[in-house]
Amino acid sequence: MVSGPSGAGKSSVVAGLAERLPFHFSVSMTTRAARPGEIDGEDYWFVSPEQFGEARAAGELLEWAEYSGHLYGTPRSEVAGRLAAGEDILLDIELRGARQVKAAYPEAVFIFIAPPSLEVLEARLRGRGDTDLEQVARRLAVARDQMAEAEAWFDHIVVNDDLERAIAEVAGILTAPTPPGCPS
Ligand code: 5GP
């Protein structure tokens, strides 16, 4: 389970991991609009608020949360059956969702991808072009809270100061043998 503030480079870390390790990337459902280059069914399932509400009411979501004015959720279909089949699954979700996953799967590995600093995060968010100033301020405030919470209960915090280094560190965590007596 990978989490971290928007703009910390999680997507790039996840993309780099996909080239090195076999896992299924859990495709979330979201009500936000696709960014240029994003593909429906690959990056997210882009749905209307009504469709999201129906999936939620039908109990189809393992977890969900509102983030920056949009709804995000993990379809159960992305997780349960695949885990039973022995596949490794990677979730990229925010912290309230991560807490719900921790309750359902306490043995999961929780990795937080942190930006080198809040100043670097702000520059990355501004440079991305799709986020207005109010959203940047909102996301920075959320990022500050998230970093404090992640320090409290995540298994690993990986600082994305250099993309290749961060990918290698996360890959190392995910492939490390589990010490006897520890949950995998
Ligand atoms: P973005 O809009 O930048 O792609 O994602 C915004 C935030 O939503 C990120 O922190 C991302 O990890 C989180 N997110 C993406 N999918 C899910 C999901 O299914 N559930 C939850 N709880 N958060 C998600």
Side-chain angles (χ1 to χ4, degrees):
M1 234 277 341
V2 174
S3 197
S6 180
K10 269 176 315 183
S11 315
S12 310
V13 172
V14 169
L17 281 173
E19 287 170 12
R20 297 188 189 207
L21 299 175
F23 62 80
H24 171 71
F25 174 70
S26 165
V27 182
S28 296
M29 207 179 257
T30 184
T31 60
R32 84 147 160 79
R35 294 192 186 115
E38 285 184 330
I39 298 170
D40 190 35
E42 232 172 76
D43 299 285
Y44 282 104
W45 300 104
F46 296 100
V47 298
S48 65
E50 292 73 27
Q51 287 170 310
F52 194 98
E54 280 164 23
R56 201 171 62 193
E60 288 169 14
L61 301 180
L62 167 64
E63 60 73 35
W64 67 276
E66 187 179 335
Y67 182 89
S68 250
H70 302 292
L71 299 171
Y72 296 83
T74 303
R76 288 185 192 279
S77 58
E78 293 286 325
V79 178
R82 292 177 185 274
L83 274 185
E87 271 186 76
D88 287 326
I89 319 223
L90 194 127
L91 272 67
D92 168 357
I93 66 177
E94 54 68 70
L95 288 195
R96 272 161 305 155
R99 260 182 266 141
Q100 297 169 53
V101 173
K102 177 89 173 164
Y105 298 101
E107 71 285 7
V109 178
F110 291 82
I111 303 172
F112 189 82
I113 310 290
S117 68
L118 285 171
E119 288 73 24
V120 171
L121 181 64
E122 182 171 0
R124 286 183 190 164
L125 286 174
R126 283 173 183 263
R128 205 150 71 172
D130 72 321
T131 326
D132 63 33
L133 286 181
E134 192 193 320
Q135 284 239 347
V136 168
R138 217 180 329 158
R139 289 193 171 205
L140 274 178
V142 170
R144 206 172 288 129
D145 290 349
Q146 284 190 343
M147 276 151 76
E149 184 181 335
E151 277 170 25
W153 68 268
F154 267 55
D155 300 309
H156 303 274
I157 296 187
V158 172
V159 177
N160 185 15
D161 44 5
D162 173 86
L163 182 59
E164 285 308 314
R165 199 206 58 74
I167 293 168
E169 186 176 345
V170 177
I173 292 166
L174 295 179
T175 52
T178 311
C182 288
S184 59

